[in-house]
Amino acid sequence: MSAQSPSPVKRVTPPDIRARKGGEPIVCLTAYDAPTAALLDPHCDLLLVGDSVGMVVHGLPNTIPVTLEMMILHGQAVMRGASRAMVVVDMPFSSYERDPGQAFDNAARVLRETGAQAVKLESGVYIAETIRYLAERAVPVIAHVGLRPQAALAEGGFKAKGRDEESRRRVLDEARAADEAGAFAIVVEGVAEDLAEEITKAVKAPTIGIGASATCDGQILVTNDMLGQFDWTPRFVKRYADLKSLISEAAESYAKDVRSRAFPGPDQVYRAKR
Ligand code: KIV
Protein backbone atom coordinates (compact mmCIF):
# COMPACT_ATOMS: atom_id res chain seq x y z
CA MET A 1 0.00 0.00 0.00
CA SER A 2 1.41 3.41 -0.88
CA ALA A 3 1.80 5.92 1.92
CA GLN A 4 -0.42 9.01 1.80
CA SER A 5 0.50 12.11 3.80
CA PRO A 6 -0.65 11.11 7.29
CA SER A 7 -3.35 13.14 9.02
CA PRO A 8 -1.81 15.01 12.02
CA VAL A 9 -4.69 13.89 14.28
CA LYS A 10 -5.24 10.22 15.02
CA ARG A 11 -8.90 9.36 14.86
CA VAL A 12 -10.46 7.04 17.45
CA THR A 13 -11.07 3.61 15.89
CA PRO A 14 -13.49 0.74 16.64
CA PRO A 15 -10.68 -1.28 18.32
CA ASP A 16 -9.90 1.76 20.52
CA ILE A 17 -13.55 1.88 21.64
CA ARG A 18 -13.68 -1.88 22.18
CA ALA A 19 -10.55 -1.69 24.35
CA ARG A 20 -12.35 0.72 26.72
CA LYS A 21 -14.47 -2.11 28.21
CA GLY A 22 -14.33 -1.67 31.98
CA GLY A 23 -11.91 1.27 31.60
CA GLU A 24 -12.20 5.03 31.21
CA PRO A 25 -15.85 5.84 30.36
CA ILE A 26 -16.55 6.47 26.66
CA VAL A 27 -17.86 10.00 25.98
CA CYS A 28 -20.42 10.07 23.15
CA LEU A 29 -22.83 12.66 21.75
CA THR A 30 -24.94 12.96 18.64
CA ALA A 31 -23.97 15.37 15.85
CA TYR A 32 -25.72 16.26 12.62
CA ASP A 33 -23.76 19.16 11.10
CA ALA A 34 -20.14 20.25 10.55
CA PRO A 35 -19.83 23.29 12.88
CA THR A 36 -21.40 21.50 15.86
CA ALA A 37 -19.26 18.41 15.22
CA ALA A 38 -16.15 20.63 15.24
CA LEU A 39 -17.12 22.05 18.67
CA LEU A 40 -17.88 18.62 20.17
CA ASP A 41 -14.92 16.79 18.61
CA PRO A 42 -12.20 17.72 21.17
CA HIS A 43 -14.39 16.47 24.04
CA CYS A 44 -15.87 13.26 22.63
CA ASP A 45 -14.59 9.80 21.80
CA LEU A 46 -17.53 9.07 19.52
CA LEU A 47 -19.96 11.24 17.55
CA LEU A 48 -23.14 9.51 16.41
CA VAL A 49 -24.98 10.77 13.36
CA GLY A 50 -28.19 9.45 14.86
CA ASP A 51 -31.39 8.96 12.91
CA SER A 52 -32.76 11.20 15.69
CA VAL A 53 -31.75 13.86 13.12
CA GLY A 54 -35.24 13.33 11.71
CA MET A 55 -36.86 14.57 14.92
CA VAL A 56 -34.19 16.98 16.20
CA VAL A 57 -33.34 18.77 12.95
CA HIS A 58 -36.15 17.99 10.50
CA GLY A 59 -39.08 18.23 12.96
CA LEU A 60 -40.45 14.76 12.19
CA PRO A 61 -42.64 12.97 14.78
CA ASN A 62 -40.38 9.88 14.85
CA THR A 63 -37.41 8.34 13.03
CA ILE A 64 -39.40 6.18 10.59
CA PRO A 65 -39.36 8.63 7.61
CA VAL A 66 -35.57 9.15 7.80
CA THR A 67 -33.85 7.97 4.60
CA LEU A 68 -30.41 6.63 3.76
CA GLU A 69 -29.78 9.77 1.68
CA MET A 70 -30.47 11.99 4.72
CA MET A 71 -28.06 9.94 6.84
CA ILE A 72 -25.35 10.14 4.19
CA LEU A 73 -25.73 13.92 3.79
CA HIS A 74 -25.52 14.52 7.57
CA GLY A 75 -22.70 11.94 7.88
CA GLN A 76 -20.65 13.83 5.28
CA ALA A 77 -21.21 17.11 7.15
CA VAL A 78 -20.15 15.63 10.51
CA MET A 79 -17.04 14.09 8.94
CA ARG A 80 -16.06 17.56 7.66
CA GLY A 81 -16.29 18.95 11.21
CA ALA A 82 -14.76 16.13 13.29
CA SER A 83 -11.13 15.09 13.05
CA ARG A 84 -10.48 13.07 16.22
CA ALA A 85 -13.71 11.44 17.41
CA MET A 86 -14.92 8.26 15.77
CA VAL A 87 -17.96 9.03 13.59
CA VAL A 88 -20.75 6.44 13.53
CA VAL A 89 -23.78 6.70 11.23
CA ASP A 90 -27.17 5.18 12.08
CA MET A 91 -28.72 2.84 9.53
CA PRO A 92 -32.27 4.19 9.13
CA PHE A 93 -35.51 2.21 9.22
CA SER A 94 -35.94 -0.16 6.23
CA SER A 95 -32.29 0.08 5.09
CA TYR A 96 -31.03 -3.14 6.75
CA GLU A 97 -33.85 -5.34 8.07
CA ARG A 98 -34.79 -7.34 4.93
CA ASP A 99 -31.65 -9.50 4.80
CA PRO A 100 -27.89 -9.32 5.43
CA GLY A 101 -27.17 -8.56 1.77
CA GLN A 102 -29.38 -5.45 1.84
CA ALA A 103 -27.67 -4.37 5.07
CA PHE A 104 -24.19 -4.88 3.60
CA ASP A 105 -24.95 -2.93 0.42
CA ASN A 106 -26.39 0.02 2.33
CA ALA A 107 -23.78 0.00 5.14
CA ALA A 108 -20.99 -0.13 2.53
CA ARG A 109 -22.60 2.84 0.76
CA VAL A 110 -22.73 4.80 4.04
CA LEU A 111 -19.08 4.10 4.87
CA ARG A 112 -17.89 4.78 1.30
CA GLU A 113 -19.85 8.02 0.78
CA THR A 114 -19.34 9.55 4.23
CA GLY A 115 -15.91 8.28 5.31
CA ALA A 116 -17.40 7.41 8.74
CA GLN A 117 -15.80 4.63 10.79
CA ALA A 118 -18.84 2.50 11.67
CA VAL A 119 -22.60 2.04 11.43
CA LYS A 120 -25.20 1.43 14.14
CA LEU A 121 -28.18 -0.92 13.84
CA GLU A 122 -31.17 -1.20 16.13
CA SER A 123 -31.06 -4.86 16.97
CA GLY A 124 -33.73 -7.29 17.93
CA VAL A 125 -32.40 -10.86 18.25
CA TYR A 126 -33.25 -11.43 14.56
CA ILE A 127 -30.60 -8.86 13.53
CA ALA A 128 -27.70 -10.85 15.04
CA GLU A 129 -27.27 -12.77 11.78
CA THR A 130 -26.93 -9.44 9.95
CA ILE A 131 -24.41 -8.10 12.48
CA ARG A 132 -22.31 -11.26 11.98
CA TYR A 133 -22.54 -10.93 8.18
CA LEU A 134 -21.37 -7.30 8.33
CA ALA A 135 -18.64 -7.85 10.94
CA GLU A 136 -17.20 -10.78 8.93
CA ARG A 137 -17.04 -8.46 5.92
CA ALA A 138 -15.10 -5.74 7.77
CA VAL A 139 -18.05 -3.44 8.46
CA PRO A 140 -17.68 -2.19 12.07
CA VAL A 141 -21.09 -2.38 13.77
CA ILE A 142 -22.55 -0.92 16.95
CA ALA A 143 -25.75 -2.63 18.11
CA HIS A 144 -28.62 -0.75 19.79
CA VAL A 145 -30.80 -2.69 22.25
CA GLY A 146 -33.56 -1.93 24.75
CA LEU A 147 -35.79 0.97 23.70
CA ARG A 148 -35.59 0.94 19.90
CA PRO A 149 -37.01 4.18 18.45
CA GLN A 150 -37.53 2.53 15.04
CA ALA A 151 -40.09 0.21 16.69
CA ALA A 152 -42.23 3.24 17.68
CA LEU A 153 -45.05 2.45 15.23
CA ALA A 154 -45.26 -1.24 16.18
CA GLU A 155 -45.10 -0.50 19.91
CA GLY A 156 -47.35 2.58 19.91
CA GLY A 157 -44.64 5.02 21.04
CA PHE A 158 -41.22 5.10 22.70
CA LYS A 159 -41.45 2.40 25.34
CA ALA A 160 -38.86 1.78 28.09
CA LYS A 161 -37.84 -1.88 28.32
CA GLY A 162 -37.10 -4.44 31.03
CA ARG A 163 -40.07 -3.65 33.27
CA ASP A 164 -41.03 -7.35 33.64
CA GLU A 165 -39.12 -10.62 33.60
CA GLU A 166 -39.95 -11.51 30.00
CA SER A 167 -38.91 -8.07 28.73
CA ARG A 168 -35.68 -8.19 30.79
CA ARG A 169 -34.81 -11.58 29.32
CA ARG A 170 -35.53 -10.35 25.78
CA VAL A 171 -33.23 -7.31 26.10
CA LEU A 172 -30.49 -9.43 27.67
CA ASP A 173 -30.85 -11.95 24.80
CA GLU A 174 -30.63 -9.11 22.23
CA ALA A 175 -27.44 -7.80 23.84
CA ARG A 176 -25.83 -11.26 24.11
CA ALA A 177 -26.74 -12.11 20.51
CA ALA A 178 -25.27 -8.82 19.23
CA ASP A 179 -22.12 -9.37 21.31
CA GLU A 180 -21.59 -12.91 20.05
CA ALA A 181 -22.27 -11.78 16.47
CA GLY A 182 -19.37 -9.31 16.62
CA ALA A 183 -20.77 -5.86 17.49
CA PHE A 184 -17.79 -3.85 18.80
CA ALA A 185 -20.01 -1.80 21.15
CA ILE A 186 -23.63 -1.90 22.27
CA VAL A 187 -25.93 1.07 22.89
CA VAL A 188 -28.36 0.28 25.71
CA GLU A 189 -31.34 2.66 25.72
CA GLY A 190 -34.22 3.13 28.13
CA VAL A 191 -33.84 0.14 30.46
CA ALA A 192 -33.86 -0.20 34.24
CA GLU A 193 -30.50 0.58 35.87
CA ASP A 194 -29.97 -2.90 37.24
CA LEU A 195 -30.67 -4.44 33.83
CA ALA A 196 -28.12 -2.12 32.18
CA GLU A 197 -25.63 -3.26 34.81
CA GLU A 198 -26.45 -6.93 34.18
CA ILE A 199 -25.99 -6.44 30.42
CA THR A 200 -22.69 -4.62 30.95
CA LYS A 201 -21.42 -7.55 33.01
CA ALA A 202 -22.77 -10.15 30.56
CA VAL A 203 -21.19 -8.87 27.32
CA LYS A 204 -17.59 -8.51 26.15
CA ALA A 205 -18.32 -5.37 24.12
CA PRO A 206 -18.45 -2.02 25.92
CA THR A 207 -21.95 -0.76 26.62
CA ILE A 208 -22.95 2.85 25.92
CA GLY A 209 -25.97 3.82 27.97
CA ILE A 210 -28.68 6.35 27.22
CA GLY A 211 -31.11 6.68 30.08
CA ALA A 212 -29.64 3.41 31.34
CA SER A 213 -26.99 3.35 34.09
CA ALA A 214 -23.71 4.91 35.20
CA THR A 215 -22.34 1.36 35.35
CA CYS A 216 -22.33 1.26 31.52
CA ASP A 217 -18.93 1.66 29.85
CA GLY A 218 -19.96 5.06 28.46
CA GLN A 219 -22.88 7.38 27.87
CA ILE A 220 -24.51 8.99 24.86
CA LEU A 221 -27.04 11.82 24.83
CA VAL A 222 -28.79 13.70 22.05
CA THR A 223 -26.69 16.89 21.95
CA ASN A 224 -29.65 19.24 21.47
CA ASP A 225 -31.28 17.74 24.58
CA MET A 226 -28.25 18.25 26.80
CA LEU A 227 -27.86 21.79 25.43
CA GLY A 228 -31.43 22.57 26.52
CA GLN A 229 -32.77 23.47 23.08
CA PHE A 230 -36.24 22.03 23.67
CA ASP A 231 -38.99 22.55 26.27
CA TRP A 232 -39.25 18.82 26.82
CA THR A 233 -36.35 16.43 27.29
CA PRO A 234 -36.34 12.88 28.65
CA ARG A 235 -36.20 12.67 32.47
CA PHE A 236 -32.68 11.22 32.50
CA VAL A 237 -31.12 14.13 30.56
CA LYS A 238 -29.05 16.61 32.53
CA ARG A 239 -29.12 20.02 30.80
CA TYR A 240 -25.68 21.59 30.53
CA ALA A 241 -26.87 24.81 28.83
CA ASP A 242 -30.03 26.76 28.09
CA LEU A 243 -29.75 27.07 24.34
CA LYS A 244 -33.47 27.71 23.92
CA SER A 245 -33.32 30.92 25.99
CA LEU A 246 -30.01 31.94 24.41
CA ILE A 247 -31.37 31.65 20.86
CA SER A 248 -34.76 33.22 21.70
CA GLU A 249 -33.19 36.19 23.52
CA ALA A 250 -30.62 36.79 20.78
CA ALA A 251 -33.33 36.62 18.09
CA GLU A 252 -35.51 39.04 20.08
CA SER A 253 -32.64 41.56 20.50
CA TYR A 254 -31.80 41.27 16.82
CA ALA A 255 -35.43 41.84 15.78
CA LYS A 256 -35.60 44.90 18.06
CA ASP A 257 -32.43 46.35 16.49
CA VAL A 258 -33.69 45.81 12.96
CA ARG A 259 -37.12 47.30 13.68
CA SER A 260 -35.53 50.40 15.24
CA ARG A 261 -32.96 50.62 12.43
CA ALA A 262 -30.21 50.18 15.04
CA PHE A 263 -28.16 48.00 12.73
CA PRO A 264 -25.00 49.08 10.97
CA GLY A 265 -24.70 49.40 7.20
CA PRO A 266 -21.66 47.85 5.47
CA ASP A 267 -19.69 51.13 5.60
CA GLN A 268 -20.01 51.32 9.39
CA VAL A 269 -19.00 47.66 9.79
CA TYR A 270 -16.01 48.25 7.53
CA ARG A 271 -14.95 51.38 9.48
CA ALA A 272 -15.40 49.56 12.85
CA LYS A 273 -13.14 46.72 11.67
CA ARG A 274 -10.30 49.09 10.60
O1 KIV B 1 -30.58 8.29 16.88
C1 KIV B 1 -29.99 8.52 17.96
O2 KIV B 1 -29.68 9.68 18.29
C2 KIV B 1 -29.65 7.40 18.80
C3 KIV B 1 -29.12 7.70 20.16
C4 KIV B 1 -30.16 8.30 20.97
C5 KIV B 1 -28.51 6.51 20.79
O3 KIV B 1 -29.81 6.29 18.41
Side-chain angles (χ1 to χ4, degrees):
M1 210 189 305
S2 68
Q4 304 288 316
S5 59
S7 155
V9 183
K10 186 186 174 309
R11 208 184 266 281
V12 177
T13 65
D16 294 334
I17 294 292
R18 193 170 174 89
R20 298 274 285 274
K21 178 76 186 175
E24 188 192 348
I26 306 163
V27 181
C28 317
L29 282 170
T30 63
Y32 315 110
D33 62 72
T36 310
L39 291 173
L40 303 177
D41 185 59
H43 311 287
C44 291
D45 301 304
L46 186 157
L47 291 176
L48 172 70
V49 187
D51 60 353
S52 52
V53 69
M55 301 169 74
V56 173
V57 176
H58 295 271
L60 294 165
N62 55 46
T63 58
I64 305 297
V66 174
T67 64
L68 200 62
E69 285 67 29
M70 287 164 76
M71 296 311 301
I72 289 172
L73 205 61
H74 287 283
Q76 290 168 338
V78 169
M79 281 299 292
R80 283 182 211 114
S83 55
R84 195 197 73 85
M86 181 168 82
V87 175
V88 180
V89 177
D90 254 345
M91 297 298 292
F93 177 69
S94 79
S95 69
Y96 63 96
E97 301 91 327
R98 192 173 61 226
D99 56 59
Q102 180 210 23
F104 180 80
D105 288 348
N106 286 329
R109 191 176 156 208
V110 165
L111 297 182
R112 198 168 44 233
E113 294 185 23
T114 64
Q117 283 70 58
V119 293
K120 175 165 81 59
L121 311 182
E122 290 189 15
S123 38
V125 170
Y126 75 99
I127 283 294
E129 183 196 348
T130 295
I131 293 175
R132 186 179 306 285
Y133 189 92
L134 296 181
E136 283 173 350
R137 285 159 182 78
V139 175
V141 181
I142 295 185
H144 180 151
V145 304
L147 189 163
R148 290 188 282 124
Q150 290 173 15
L153 290 184
E155 297 181 351
F158 300 112
K159 299 280 176 354
K161 290 286 150 46
R163 291 231 166 102
D164 57 54
E165 265 318 303
E166 197 205 323
S167 170
R168 287 178 70 94
R169 194 187 35 74
R170 200 172 319 123
V171 179
L172 196 55
D173 285 351
E174 284 170 10
R176 283 203 174 108
D179 191 43
E180 281 159 21
F184 73 90
I186 301 176
V187 167
V188 181
E189 178 167 2
V191 303
E193 283 201 50
D194 61 339
L195 177 56
E197 188 171 355
E198 192 177 345
I199 292 169
T200 300
K201 285 183 184 148
V203 296
K204 292 189 294 300
T207 55
I208 299 170
I210 168 162
S213 163
T215 60
C216 288
D217 298 295
Q219 176 173 254
I220 185 158
L221 289 178
V222 170
T223 296
N224 308 61
D225 284 343
M226 74 95 182
L227 291 179
Q229 194 175 356
F230 306 119
D231 282 329
W232 183 88
T233 45
R235 242 178 342 119
F236 57 81
V237 174
K238 176 175 168 186
R239 292 183 187 210
Y240 290 83
D242 185 2
L243 203 56
K244 180 170 182 273
S245 302
L246 205 67
I247 294 175
S248 302
E249 283 160 23
E252 191 183 346
S253 300
Y254 171 75
K256 221 182 272 168
D257 279 358
V258 173
R259 289 196 186 104
S260 61
R261 299 198 178 279
F263 54 95
D267 290 351
Q268 269 171 284
V269 173
Y270 179 68
R271 269 198 300 277
K273 277 188 181 160
R274 284 208 312 177

